[in-house]
Amino acid sequence: ETAVFQTPNYHVTQVGNEVSFNCKQTLGHDTMYWYKQDSKKLLKIMFSYNNKQLIVNETVPRRFSPQSSDKAHLNLRIKSVEPEDSAVYLCASSFSYEQYFGPGTRLTVL
Amino acid sequence: GDKVKQSPSALSLQEGTNSALRCNFSIAATTVQWFLQNPRGSLMNLFYLVPGTKENGRLKSAFDSKESYSTLHIRDAQLEDSGTYFCAAEADTGYQNFYFGKGTSLTVIP
């Protein structure tokens, strides 16, 4: 099966903790992305990675960092979570800008 | 202001009827994508457009880069068409920078 996979589906944590979300794509794409979708369903791009190079970083707080081991994986680490980080984090991949999304990871910060 | 404005924000359709969704851009969009987010949260890619039109079954989409808008037409609406429709524009910045609209929440009623 070729798709975009994300783990975990859900994560609940407390303010100040570190979290890490995984994303893997088996579509053979060369670019991967992380998006944040807030409670109002607003989608904002956070990062995009092409051949291990960060292409776009949309004024994301420094506590967020993408981590890539190869072009099929792009993880997202949050060093010290804040309440406003509660959201759904969506991973996507593309070859020629046509994007395919994973199912998302819902983060709740208590 | 919003770089991508979607309208309407919400819509109810009788099963079997037709409707159109619209996105207006205040950026120089080079490509447009339309997605459907189902109630479980999965984002499904519907169309990827350069200026022009595409059709897939009961869906048809158009993108006019000169007039800075895109439309998604739904013909013979079915219950499974319910969900939130998002358009996303790729900005002409030289980077892969995507901007999403706020979505149109569509409910198809029997």
Side-chain angles (χ1 to χ4, degrees), chain A residues 31 37 41-42 58 97 99, chain B residues 33 37 45 96-98:
Chain A
T31 305
Q37 187 171 36
K41 290 196 172 180
L42 288 171
E58 285 281 315
Y97 314 136
Q99 296 185 41
Chain B
Q33 295 181 66
Q37 189 167 40
N45 191 312
Q96 290 170 340
N97 202 343
F98 296 91

Side-chain angles (χ1 to χ4, degrees), chain A:
Chain A
E1 184 189 359
T2 54
V4 181
F5 302 94
Q6 287 186 244
T7 57
N9 295 328
Y10 304 93
H11 189 77
V12 181
T13 191
Q14 293 187 323
V15 171
N17 285 350
E18 176 174 319
V19 299
S20 189
F21 304 145
N22 300 315
C23 180
K24 170 187 167 183
Q25 56 95 3
T26 57
L27 295 162
H29 290 163
D30 59 2
T31 305
M32 294 184 72
Y33 312 82
W34 276 102
Y35 285 84
K36 179 181 179 181
Q37 187 171 36
D38 64 21
S39 58
K40 295 180 182 175
K41 290 196 172 180
L42 288 171
L43 273 156
K44 277 199 166 179
I45 190 167
M46 299 178 72
F47 304 102
S48 65
Y49 246 72
N50 182 305
N51 294 324
K52 297 191 179 182
Q53 283 188 316
L54 181 66
I55 296 176
V56 171
N57 183 333
E58 285 281 315
T59 62
V60 172
R62 287 190 162 198
R63 59 181 180 277
F64 289 85
S65 59
Q67 297 171 320
S68 176
S69 56
D70 54 57
K71 70 175 188 177
H73 296 83
L74 184 66
N75 299 333
L76 179 67
R77 186 179 78 146
I78 313 174
K79 220 182 218 181
S80 175
V81 295
E82 300 284 338
E84 61 264 29
D85 298 338
S86 293
V88 175
Y89 292 87
L90 291 156
C91 175
S93 70
S94 74
F95 180 67
S96 59
Y97 314 136
E98 185 173 3
Q99 296 185 41
Y100 292 85
F101 282 81
T105 294
R106 181 177 294 277
L107 173 67
T108 302
V109 181
L110 302 175

Side-chain angles (χ1 to χ4, degrees), chain B residues 5-109:
Chain B
K5 287 189 178 176
Q6 272 190 256
S7 60
S9 57
L11 181 63
S12 281
L13 279 182
Q14 201 76 39
E15 199 175 4
T17 60
N18 308 330
S19 190
L21 313 180
R22 186 177 175 106
C23 279
N24 290 312
F25 312 118
S26 61
I27 53 174
T30 54
T31 67
V32 172
Q33 295 181 66
W34 283 92
F35 299 90
L36 168 59
Q37 189 167 40
N38 64 24
R40 287 194 322 274
S42 297
L43 266 166
M44 190 167 59
N45 191 312
L46 298 176
F47 290 105
Y48 170 74
L49 293 157
V50 294
T53 61
K54 278 191 179 178
E55 194 165 353
N56 184 3
R58 296 178 293 100
L59 300 179
K60 183 176 178 180
S61 185
F63 170 36
D64 187 328
S65 57
K66 289 181 184 174
E67 299 297 323
S68 299
Y69 76 91
S70 177
T71 55
L72 177 68
H73 292 262
I74 303 172
R75 176 174 54 82
D76 184 25
Q78 301 296 304
L79 298 177
E80 60 265 27
D81 295 335
S82 295
T84 304
Y85 289 80
F86 290 97
C87 68
E90 183 188 357
D92 185 19
T93 61
Y95 297 97
Q96 290 170 340
N97 202 343
F98 296 91
Y99 296 93
F100 276 76
K102 293 181 179 179
T104 294
S105 178
L106 173 66
T107 305
V108 180
I109 49 181

